[in-house]
Amino acid sequence: MIAVEDVGFRYRKASRPVVDGFSAVFPSGAVTAVTGSNGCGKTTLVKLLTGIERPGSGRVLVDGADLRPLSLAEIGRKVGCVFQNPARQLFCTSVREEMAYGLRAQGLDDAEIARRTEQQLDFFGLLGHLDDFPLHLSHGEKQRLMLAVVLAMDPEYLLLDEPTTGLDLPRRRALGEELRALAGAGRGVVVVSHERAFVTAYADTEVRMGEASV
């Protein structure tokens, strides 16, 4: 379970907090949608849940552990994330290397890396791009690649910021079913989304930011 307890956060030089006294619970074994109007702090919340930003007040707990003293690497072993702009997460010279980088860091052997790479790239329709330079892919292809990279690493918690951007309807449905399967296997899934149909179809619970905390 990820627990957010009375968290406040303000960017430097900002006149007011982006997140102010926010509390919520994101359980394992469920898909939780985070919704709300533009500017209510949804993307900032994702940064707080991944440790990229640290709360000015309150705390974020992952399985009872406060994230504040943990390094990004320690947090990343439990929490995987795909941000709204996938190009900022891509840095390798080929799709093949992008897939392999994090899996090598986990100590997996070449056979397992190849298996997970093929499985995820096939799922997202990217097997034909193994040797392509990731930044030369279209926006939708970059989005699908980052989803493949993070899902291949099999994190305990998965955070997705507007994951349906760039996906056609069949892949949106396939992604939703994949997220439901991950939740059914005990993973915690958090989806930031403006797409009401996707939230209604695949989320177990919804947390609306900009309203009373839950």
Side-chain angles (χ1 to χ4, degrees):
M1 177 180 72
I2 299 177
V4 180
E5 298 181 347
D6 198 27
V7 162
F9 178 81
R10 182 196 305 264
Y11 288 103
R12 288 184 181 180
K13 300 182 180 178
S15 59
R16 61 184 179 83
V18 180
V19 178
D20 189 13
F22 180 76
S23 298
V25 171
F26 303 100
S28 301
V31 178
T32 304
V34 178
T35 62
S37 59
N38 289 334
C40 70
K42 299 188 298 297
T43 295
T44 299
L45 176 65
V46 172
K47 293 178 181 179
L48 291 166
L49 296 180
T50 55
I52 292 173
E53 301 287 359
R54 306 297 167 119
S57 59
R59 59 182 186 165
V60 177
L61 305 174
V62 175
D63 293 337
D66 193 327
L67 293 191
R68 281 176 295 189
L70 301 182
S71 68
L72 288 176
E74 289 172 319
I75 297 169
R77 293 189 187 102
K78 278 186 167 282
V79 181
C81 182
V82 179
F83 287 98
Q84 192 170 358
N85 185 352
R88 295 182 179 179
Q89 292 179 267
L90 299 170
F91 58 90
C92 292
T93 58
S94 71
V95 167
R96 188 192 308 272
E97 283 302 309
E98 202 73 60
M99 290 294 301
Y101 183 86
L103 298 176
R104 286 199 193 101
Q106 290 184 335
L108 300 181
D109 61 31
D110 289 345
E112 180 63 13
I113 290 172
R115 186 192 71 80
R116 294 194 190 189
T117 294
E118 181 175 359
Q119 178 186 44
Q120 292 299 331
L121 291 184
D122 182 50
F123 178 79
F124 286 107
L126 293 171
L127 267 178
H129 296 276
L130 271 169
D131 296 313
D132 290 357
F133 183 49
L135 293 179
H136 287 170
L137 300 176
S138 70
H139 177 81
E141 288 167 341
K142 292 186 185 83
Q143 181 84 355
R144 282 147 51 198
L145 175 56
M146 276 312 308
L147 287 166
V149 167
V150 172
L151 288 172
M153 295 180 68
D154 197 25
E156 293 181 38
Y157 298 94
L158 178 64
L159 312 182
L160 305 173
D161 192 357
E162 300 293 350
T164 56
T165 302
L167 300 185
D168 58 21
L169 184 57
R171 285 199 176 95
R172 291 182 188 196
R173 289 173 177 165
L175 175 63
E177 294 300 327
E178 175 79 356
L179 299 182
R180 296 291 306 146
L182 288 169
R187 300 293 189 265
V189 181
V190 180
V191 179
V192 173
S193 182
H194 283 102
E195 189 180 339
R196 174 49 51 186
F198 189 83
V199 169
T200 300
Y202 299 109
D204 296 297
T205 58
E206 180 178 351
V207 173
R208 286 192 61 83
M209 296 193 71
E211 298 183 355
S213 298
V214 296

